[in-house]
Amino acid sequence: MSFGIYNIHFLDFEKDKADMEFNVQEQTDPKDLNTETTGSLTPSFSLGNQPWQEWLTPMIDIFAKVPEYVGHFFSEYKQPLTTLGLLILSFISIKIMIAVLGAIDDVPLLAPLLQIIGLGYTLWFTWRYLWKSSNRKELLSEFEAVKNQVFGNNI
């Protein structure tokens, strides 16, 4: 049947089903099966005495033992690896902090504003705690109280 440029073919499902069963039967016929030993469907693959096998076998043995080597290495050098990891992490943190401060410094008028705020706080701290002797004693007593609270009274 034809409609314009499209050709429509009606399928004969029974014929297709019979063809598929025949194809499946052809594919599963035991032609080349080895029936001498049970449990063996195909002959075993043998590399034989190849020249490259002399260096391939030791490499396979080494790669098979890599997880054991890595586990032993990490268990033996746990402390230095932790220290190295912390150093790398602190280096990365410092680089990120420098990048953030550089970005803040690039914002117009923000860097001078922060400098003015820092200068103002320094002047206030000097006037409040360092100008007079009584205020310096008050600062030392507050420092001692914080130190005792953090480290205890035994120090």
Side-chain angles (χ1 to χ4, degrees), residues 124-138:
W124 172 83
F125 185 84
T126 304
W127 179 261
R128 170 70 177 93
Y129 289 111
L130 302 178
W131 196 261
K132 298 180 185 175
S133 174
S134 60
N135 293 345
R136 286 191 296 267
K137 290 178 185 175
E138 179 185 347

Side-chain angles (χ1 to χ4, degrees), residues 11-18:
L11 300 175
D12 185 8
F13 290 111
E14 292 299 322
K15 181 181 175 209
D16 290 339
K17 183 178 175 185

Side-chain angles (χ1 to χ4, degrees), residues 83-103:
T83 305
L84 181 66
L86 288 173
L87 285 173
I88 291 172
L89 236 133
S90 62
F91 179 74
I92 291 171
S93 299
I94 289 171
K95 292 292 272 185
I96 290 173
M97 186 174 56
I98 289 172
V100 168
L101 289 175

